[in-house]
Amino acid sequence: MRAILNLLVLVTVWFWPGVAASAEEPIIIAHRGASGYLPEHTLEAYRLGIEQGADFIEPDLVMTKDGVLVARHDIYLSSTTNVASKPEFADRKRTVGDKTDWFVMDFTLAELKTLRARQPFPGRDTSFNDQYEIPTFDEIIEVVRDAGAQGKTVGLHIEMKRPDLFKSEVDPDLSDTLASAFAPLTDSGIPVFFQCFDGEFVREIAGKTNAPLVLLVAGAFDEQSQWFVLDVNLADYYDVVDGYGLNKALLFDQNFKSNGLVERLHSAEKVVHVWTARNDALPKGFESAEQELKLLFGAGIDGLFTDFPTTAVDVRREMLQ
């Protein structure tokens, strides 16, 4: 069944109404929403990403103490919220691993809703700090449904952060919880991908959902070549995943010459999504965001995560013309 789905996703992903016209048109994914402009993982950032023409929005999911899925990129809260300014939560600070901070699984949903989001990236607009709430997954789904009601089909490219931690501390049946949440989405025609860095968790959920599965791969920096190399045998997951979400550097050598990875994965009937294009964080040697985007689109990718969706939409349009 998974092998059949692998083939189908290559075809059907391009024909979800309103998403993309053909396999020559990669999807644009608003990374944490339009996070280059507004505080990430807020309903306002997701709506802006949709307004700017993104085909998918990307919620990173974590889980509250009372078992509610909410959107944060990290399991800790200090860099993206005003939690440090809340004296009532001073005693929640603790150490997990090598990080001392406030952690989402130590807060109920009601408590998290008293916090407000902040822009974590230096140099980006902070004028919207302390205005927006942390959204639940259900609230994000409603944003997508609202867009659909207005004639714009938008997908959800969902990532689960640290499933090992949330299984041990909150929900031992996390894969079942997620699969149950995905079912009404796929049944109602909302395009969905599920992605995770944890390959074993991807294996765990594979038999429980029909949502296309994407294994995230960061690679490792090789001191000898001074470039990124694969640190995972991608073929080990061919039987369970429909594609890969790759660190963009993994597609090229240190001179930004294609290494053929996209072609190899396409020959294995896998989609290739890459992260993350940022207008304000260009790789060395690039003079503009447009220059980098043209290289990435030209490499034949199937999807692109970006903090600045409007730029990617414009470049994709230009290249198609």
Side-chain angles (χ1 to χ4, degrees):
M1 177 63 72
R2 177 62 58 182
I4 295 173
L5 185 57
N6 287 345
L7 179 59
L8 288 177
V9 73
L10 284 167
V11 177
T12 59
V13 67
W14 308 110
F15 295 96
W16 277 315
V19 175
S22 72
E24 296 177 357
E25 183 174 348
I27 59 172
I28 292 171
I29 306 148
H31 184 243
R32 313 179 199 176
S35 56
Y37 305 96
L38 293 175
E40 65 188 38
H41 292 312
T42 59
L43 295 181
E44 291 75 11
Y46 296 129
R47 290 189 184 108
L48 181 58
I50 294 170
E51 290 172 11
Q52 291 185 346
D55 307 301
F56 283 72
I57 58 174
E58 185 225 17
D60 292 328
L61 298 184
V62 293
M63 187 170 271
T64 66
K65 184 178 182 178
D66 47 346
V68 180
L69 291 166
V70 298
R72 289 290 88 192
H73 176 259
D74 301 299
I75 63 171
Y76 55 87
L77 296 166
S78 66
S79 62
T80 62
T81 76
N82 63 346
V83 65
S85 69
K86 297 283 190 177
E88 64 268 34
F89 298 134
D91 62 350
R92 303 290 178 90
K93 196 173 189 178
R94 67 176 172 119
T95 300
V96 175
D98 58 358
K99 182 74 172 178
T100 300
D101 211 292
W102 293 265
F103 294 91
V104 66
M105 59 277 192
D106 295 328
F107 291 75
T108 65
L109 176 62
E111 290 170 335
L112 281 179
K113 283 293 188 179
T114 68
L115 304 181
R116 293 296 179 266
R118 289 183 172 177
Q119 173 60 257
F121 280 80
R124 292 184 179 178
D125 187 358
T126 59
S127 64
F128 297 95
N129 282 3
D130 300 344
Q131 296 185 34
Y132 306 141
E133 293 184 358
I134 295 174
T136 66
F137 185 39
D138 286 341
E139 289 170 337
I140 298 166
I141 293 170
E142 284 308 304
V143 168
V144 169
R145 292 195 189 280
D146 288 345
Q150 297 171 27
K152 167 67 174 176
T153 299
V154 180
L156 286 162
H157 210 305
I158 304 158
E159 180 181 352
M160 186 69 213
K161 308 299 268 188
R162 291 296 305 276
D164 58 324
L165 179 70
F166 291 107
K167 284 176 65 176
S168 65
E169 295 217 5
V170 183
D171 183 1
D173 299 317
L174 180 59
S175 60
D176 293 319
T177 300
L178 289 172
S180 296
F182 299 160
L185 302 177
T186 55
D187 290 347
S188 63
I190 293 175
V192 173
F193 284 100
F194 174 71
Q195 58 178 344
C196 192
F197 280 100
D198 187 332
E200 292 313 303
F201 188 72
V202 172
R203 286 191 180 281
E204 181 181 334
I205 202 171
K208 302 177 181 181
T209 180
N210 287 327
L213 304 180
V214 172
L215 179 66
L216 293 168
V217 180
F221 190 76
D222 178 60
E223 292 294 338
Q224 183 174 355
S225 65
Q226 290 292 292
W227 198 247
F228 288 87
V229 295
L230 284 169
D231 55 353
V232 174
N233 183 0
L234 302 183
D236 288 346
Y237 295 91
Y238 281 1
D239 60 327
V240 292
V241 305
D242 302 285
Y244 295 88
L246 302 176
N247 174 355
K248 59 190 180 182
L250 291 171
L251 305 188
F252 310 100
D253 64 18
Q254 55 268 49
N255 298 312
F256 291 100
K257 181 180 178 181
S258 173
N259 57 21
L261 180 56
V262 173
E263 290 79 6
R264 292 196 297 275
L265 290 176
H266 281 170
S267 69
E269 299 177 349
K270 307 300 177 186
V271 294
V272 179
H273 299 164
V274 298
W275 46 269
T276 304
R278 295 186 168 107
N279 293 11
D280 54 0
L282 298 177
K284 185 177 179 180
F286 285 83
E287 297 180 356
S288 68
E290 289 79 5
Q291 183 185 8
E292 183 193 16
L293 288 166
K294 288 177 181 178
L295 176 73
L296 293 170
F297 288 144
I301 61 172
D302 305 296
L304 172 79
F305 292 89
T306 176
D307 293 3
F308 298 85
T310 188
T311 307
V313 169
D314 288 346
V315 172
R316 181 178 66 180
R317 183 185 303 114
E318 177 187 346
M319 292 188 71
L320 286 172
Q321 290 173 345

